[in-house]
Amino acid sequence: MKKQDQRPFMILTIPCLVVLFALALIPLIYAIYLSCHNVTLRTLFSQPDFIGIKNYVRIIGDREVLHSLLISGIFSTSSVSLSLAIGLGLALLLYTSGGIQKILRPLFLVPMIITPVVAGVSWRFMLDPDLGVISHVLSVLGIEKQPWLSSSSLALLTVILINVWQWTPLVMLIIIAGLYNLPTAVYEAAQVDGASTFQTLRYITLPLLKPVILIALIIRTMDTIKEFDTIFILTRGGPGASTQILSIDLYFRGFKFYHFSEAAALGIIVLFLIIFVSRYYIKITGEA
Amino acid sequence: MRLRKLLVGLSCILVLSSLTGATMCSAGQTVKILTYEVLATEAMEEFQQEFEKATGVGIKWEFASEPEVWDKISMEMIARTGAYDVFPVPFSKIAEFVAADFLEPLDQYVQNKAHPVWLDMEDFVPGALGAMKVKGKLYALPFFMWEAILVYRKDIYEKVGIDQPPTTLTEFEEVVKKTTIDLDGDGKTDVYGFTGRGSVEPHSTQSLTFAYSYGGEFFDKDMKPTITTPQFVKGVDLYVRLLQNFGPPGAATHDWWDIQSLFLEGKVSNMIDATTEWSPMFENPEISKVVGKVGHALAPQEKRPGGYMYVCGWGIPVSSKNKDVAWEFIQWATSKGFQFRGAVTGKKGRVDVTSVPVIQTKELAKDYPYLVPHPMVEAMNTVHPDYFPRIPEYTEVMTAYLREIQKAIAGEVTTERALETASKKIYDIMKAAGYYR
């Protein structure tokens, strides 16, 4: 009887499983296959040699990959922490339903709505030291022209700030949604006990928001690890390799240099990295 | 039952109609072209009726930016769906396509002339045609070519008291220094003495013009990198110094469009790049602030000409299902008749032609007196045959080289150090590709 009850559910999940198999599993299996063979431009249509884990060993020992990993780490950590801090602040300021908040909230969402490639191209023009509007405004204020995207020290900071600008609204939106769902009774009790605004924030709002903040943290971390489009448009990983995060390294290996197998191995490593980080966060969420 | 009959009937109609459609398509009535837009393709669009009338074949263009074209070609190279019949083959990437067995060899097609006057192999600029061959086999026909000449601001030269454009690179450095000027006296540079590409794009290779001119070479006969030789370092170092000291801020990431915009905006005094393509643009008042102010001269040289050339041909992917039609299009698009009309009577005009008889016409000299014959034809005759090393690993090698040069332009490492690092990386790439056994 129990088995019969489950049949409709199983039938209904078949289309979903087929789509999942076609769009996620087949490419994944093929990527694993590719990463264990030696497929390059010259061996594109011949029988590739099976080389086991050699590509993985090569990738892990490659100094350029280690450099990309470091840049990815800096980019991800800085961008996520900044967008969480600013997003939390904005959410606390804008979640009440006052008049000015109603106008500001949709305005703050604009960066998130812009396509990343369009945002990248626009920023590239705006940041041009000679023809860009930002340099013009800064020169009016007496600040010298800055090579925002063409100096190694500034380029990484610039792409981090652009990423923060674009995705902080997402964090703000998630936290505002969380704030609306907080129980009012706790706040009433705090008011009765005479808690100050800071005490309410520190001991009630933030602990209650912890699961929501962790969700925002997971989403932003995954996004920043696989970030590609905006950085590619802004700097193509340069100057030198100063903004070359893992996904850009992978793109160059696979689609520009035709080391398909190496790129597949790097892709699998990035996948495991994302799974590992996400699992870690989920574990913390569970504990919370 | 009735429903089943209806469904069977409908299926038959669908199958028959699709078969008819397939037959019409296989007659090869449309040639599908994937390309980026240059003056040559704009002229082809303008005159395409000429081809369509003569052959009854339609043209379907698909335009994309240059990097996007290469991404699409990379995908087609792997998937081989037959989505395109013709695509651009620059001489820097030709070896890459040949190594992947993606380009149809054209030698067998040359005898098959679609039209009595379209194809004449003797018409092509020899250097341009030679660049379309790999190991003696022809894979594309050249449809545009650019050379590097010096474009300079006559008004700025006059202002600072320079009578003649420089002829040597040593003189050029002095000129660049003098023509970096502050026009309004506010203590800030308004016009930069020089600009060039610093971006890491496979074709941002203008530093090679300087290195070759000092006598440097990229590889020796065993394909080992020779970019740390004193003459190569001297040339690249000059390029780097000019950009650092007299170039616009942000030069390390400037690409083709950036430097073109800077010159059109009147912010640069001197430029040596694919300048024959741009010169007509500088005289267009709709987009240029330097109309009538631009001078043209042979690029200054030290021991020999820098030899810059960029040639692009039309090639046929092996996956094309309409190769014969594609070949008809290529013959028309490179014919002297079309090239002449595109250059002289076309709306925008073009000077990037690859046909010797067209270059020699009085009309071209009349339309572009500042370019033809001097200095364009002279530049054309002095091109470096291997300006872009024609190897399948070109993109990887050039990326390794340009990344280090970019760091040098940004002032993070010295030119010597950048070239040493690049040389090691290039050696490793070539070794992994099996060049040194």
Side-chain angles (χ1 to χ4, degrees):
Chain A
M1 188 64 197
K2 204 182 171 189
K3 271 187 182 174
Q4 260 187 348
D5 285 344
Q6 283 180 341
R7 207 172 293 162
F9 292 108
M10 287 172 75
I11 292 168
L12 285 169
T13 53
I14 286 174
C16 185
L17 287 174
V18 169
V19 171
L20 188 72
F21 186 72
L23 296 181
L25 275 178
I26 294 178
L28 177 66
I29 293 164
Y30 185 66
I32 294 169
Y33 165 84
L34 212 54
S35 69
C36 299
H37 289 78
N38 185 22
V39 182
T40 62
L41 188 70
R42 291 170 195 270
T43 59
L44 206 52
F45 290 95
S46 50
Q47 185 59 38
D49 298 330
F50 177 78
I51 55 166
I53 58 161
K54 268 188 188 170
N55 280 322
Y56 290 92
V57 174
R58 196 179 303 157
I59 285 288
I60 291 166
D62 190 325
R63 285 178 67 181
E64 202 160 320
V65 174
L66 293 176
H67 170 82
S68 306
L69 186 67
L70 175 72
I71 299 292
S72 271
I74 297 171
F75 175 76
S76 192
T77 323
S78 326
S79 183
V80 171
S81 43
L82 275 172
S83 60
L84 274 181
I86 301 170
L88 178 67
L90 285 174
L92 290 169
L93 283 173
L94 298 177
Y95 93 100
T96 50
S97 49
I100 188 79
Q101 281 89 341
K102 266 188 186 168
I103 301 165
L104 286 177
R105 227 181 293 164
L107 280 180
F108 274 108
L109 294 182
V110 171
M112 197 178 80
I113 299 162
I114 300 171
T115 314
V117 173
V118 177
V121 173
S122 309
W123 275 106
R124 193 161 185 265
F125 283 129
M126 290 194 296
L127 290 169
D128 187 282
D130 267 294
L131 309 171
V133 66
I134 291 176
S135 288
H136 177 72
V137 173
L138 291 178
S139 70
V140 172
L141 299 171
I143 300 168
E144 280 289 305
K145 289 171 184 174
Q146 296 294 327
W148 299 106
L149 297 170
S150 49
S151 130
S152 292
S153 47
L154 272 179
L156 186 59
L157 177 70
T158 310
V159 295
I160 289 170
L161 291 178
I162 291 174
N163 188 272
V164 171
W165 163 82
Q166 184 151 39
W167 296 111
T168 297
L170 177 74
V171 178
M172 181 188 86
L173 208 62
I174 294 170
I175 296 176
I176 286 179
L179 285 166
Y180 275 124
N181 287 318
L182 294 186
T184 47
V186 195
Y187 286 93
E188 284 162 10
Q191 213 171 6
V192 172
D193 290 342
S196 69
T197 314
F198 178 75
Q199 282 172 326
T200 314
L201 177 72
R202 169 73 183 84
Y203 296 107
I204 298 176
T205 310
L206 288 181
L208 286 176
L209 272 181
K210 207 171 170 184
V212 180
I213 294 172
L214 281 167
I215 287 170
L217 183 72
I218 291 173
I219 295 174
R220 286 289 297 127
T221 308
M222 286 197 291
D223 276 353
T224 48
I225 292 176
K226 58 190 176 67
E227 164 72 27
F228 176 77
D229 23 26
T230 314
I231 297 187
F232 186 72
I233 296 290
L234 285 167
T235 62
R236 278 182 162 67
S242 59
T243 55
Q244 183 175 285
I245 57 170
L246 282 167
S247 55
I248 290 186
D249 191 349
L250 192 152
Y251 169 81
F252 273 102
R253 275 170 205 270
F255 296 100
K256 291 290 170 202
F257 309 154
Y258 305 108
H259 298 311
F260 301 109
S261 294
E262 264 183 45
L266 183 55
I268 300 288
I269 291 170
V270 174
L271 175 74
F272 276 102
L273 184 72
I274 293 176
I275 292 173
F276 173 77
V277 174
S278 305
R279 294 277 305 169
Y280 176 71
Y281 286 152
I282 290 165
K283 199 179 156 205
I284 303 173
T285 324
E287 282 168 6
Chain B
M1 193 62 190
R2 211 180 268 174
L3 182 69
R4 185 184 285 178
K5 276 184 181 171
L6 186 70
L7 283 173
V8 170
L10 274 173
S11 312
C12 288
I13 292 167
L14 276 173
V15 169
L16 279 172
S17 60
S18 64
L19 279 176
T20 326
T23 317
M24 280 171 72
C25 280
S26 67
Q29 294 303 301
T30 306
V31 56
K32 291 168 285 177
I33 306 164
L34 169 70
T35 185
Y36 43 90
E37 205 149 24
V38 285
L39 285 173
T41 58
E42 286 183 44
M44 282 169 211
E45 269 189 291
E46 190 185 338
F47 288 90
Q48 73 180 65
Q49 277 187 343
E50 191 179 294
F51 168 73
E52 288 168 343
K53 267 188 194 166
T55 58
V57 174
I59 299 177
K60 192 180 168 198
W61 295 96
E62 185 177 328
F63 289 104
S65 66
E66 193 183 339
E68 208 181 322
V69 167
W70 305 136
D71 283 350
K72 286 182 177 216
I73 291 296
S74 298
M75 277 188 264
E76 176 61 13
M77 209 148 74
I78 298 159
R80 313 223 163 175
T81 62
Y84 311 110
D85 301 316
V86 175
F87 74 104
V89 181
F91 81 137
S92 53
K93 286 181 90 70
I94 192 166
E96 184 178 306
F97 298 141
V98 172
D101 285 328
F102 185 60
L103 268 177
E104 183 79 3
L106 295 182
D107 297 292
Q108 66 205 33
Y109 289 78
V110 169
Q111 302 309 320
N112 174 16
K113 292 188 178 179
H115 195 280
V117 293
W118 280 356
L119 180 68
D120 187 345
M121 297 300 281
E122 302 299 314
D123 282 354
F124 293 107
V125 174
L129 189 66
M132 299 287 103
K133 291 179 183 174
V134 176
K135 290 179 186 161
K137 269 189 180 179
L138 181 72
Y139 287 95
L141 289 185
F143 73 96
F144 75 81
M145 66 183 294
W146 303 331
E147 302 79 24
I149 54 168
L150 165 68
V151 288
Y152 62 94
R153 289 279 300 279
K154 288 187 286 189
D155 55 328
I156 306 278
Y157 273 37
E158 207 179 301
K159 202 176 176 69
V160 298
I162 300 171
D163 308 324
Q164 293 286 325
T167 53
T168 66
L169 286 170
T170 316
E171 280 172 31
F172 184 59
E173 189 173 7
E174 276 306 304
V175 167
V176 166
K177 196 175 173 182
K178 273 190 186 170
T179 53
T180 302
I181 53 169
D182 167 17
L183 288 173
D184 51 15
D186 65 352
K188 289 176 188 166
T189 303
D190 296 304
V191 182
Y192 301 100
F194 180 67
T195 192
R197 293 187 239 180
S199 68
V200 184
E201 308 273 358
H203 297 137
S204 296
T205 53
Q206 284 58 42
S207 57
L208 296 182
T209 306
F210 288 69
Y212 292 164
S213 187
Y214 274 98
E217 286 291 347
F218 205 91
F219 287 117
D220 65 11
K221 59 178 179 24
D222 299 321
M223 297 306 283
K224 290 190 174 132
T226 49
I227 59 175
T228 48
T229 56
Q231 54 272 41
F232 198 98
V233 175
K234 203 170 180 185
V236 176
D237 190 50
L238 176 60
Y239 184 78
V240 169
R241 271 190 291 120
L242 292 181
L243 281 178
Q244 273 179 350
N245 301 333
F246 312 109
T253 48
H254 279 173
D255 62 13
W256 161 276
W257 301 108
D258 296 319
I259 63 167
Q260 197 186 97
S261 306
L262 283 164
F263 203 89
L264 285 166
E265 284 289 317
K267 289 184 175 287
V268 176
S269 303
N270 300 281
M271 196 160 68
I272 303 169
D273 202 287
T275 22
T276 52
E277 167 77 353
W278 297 341
S279 294
M281 225 183 288
F282 300 146
E283 300 306 321
N284 178 355
E286 283 175 26
I287 51 169
S288 170
K289 290 183 181 169
V290 290
V291 177
K293 296 175 182 170
V294 183
H296 303 77
L298 268 180
Q301 50 177 294
E302 210 59 34
K303 287 182 183 161
R304 58 176 179 172
Y308 176 89
M309 168 175 71
Y310 184 85
V311 181
C312 192
W314 287 127
I316 305 173
V318 287
S319 54
S320 162
K321 295 182 180 83
N322 299 308
K323 292 191 184 82
D324 291 335
V325 175
W327 174 239
E328 284 181 16
F329 167 79
I330 292 176
Q331 290 174 77
W332 169 77
T334 55
S335 66
K336 59 177 165 253
F338 158 70
Q339 291 204 43
F340 176 77
R341 284 184 287 283
V344 176
T345 59
K347 276 180 206 154
K348 284 199 175 171
R350 54 177 288 219
V351 74
D352 56 354
V353 288
T354 56
S355 161
V356 175
V358 178
I359 294 164
Q360 289 169 341
T361 55
K362 280 183 290 184
E363 288 85 349
L364 202 71
K366 196 178 147 212
D367 283 1
Y368 305 100
Y370 47 90
L371 279 178
V372 183
H374 174 81
M376 192 180 96
V377 178
E378 284 155 80
M380 202 177 263
N381 291 333
T382 56
V383 292
H384 190 294
D386 283 316
Y387 189 89
F388 295 98
R390 268 176 290 160
I391 50 171
E393 295 73 22
Y394 173 80
T395 307
E396 192 174 1
V397 165
M398 214 34 84
T399 304
Y401 170 77
L402 292 171
R403 275 187 182 161
E404 297 309 316
I405 300 302
Q406 189 178 47
K407 280 190 211 166
I409 296 171
E412 285 154 25
V413 289
T414 61
T415 309
E416 288 85 353
R417 183 73 196 274
L419 287 169
E420 273 165 25
T421 316
S423 180
K424 279 178 200 149
K425 284 186 181 173
I426 293 165
Y427 183 88
D428 290 345
I429 293 166
M430 299 296 278
K431 195 178 173 191
Y435 282 86
Y436 320 131
R437 289 191 194 282

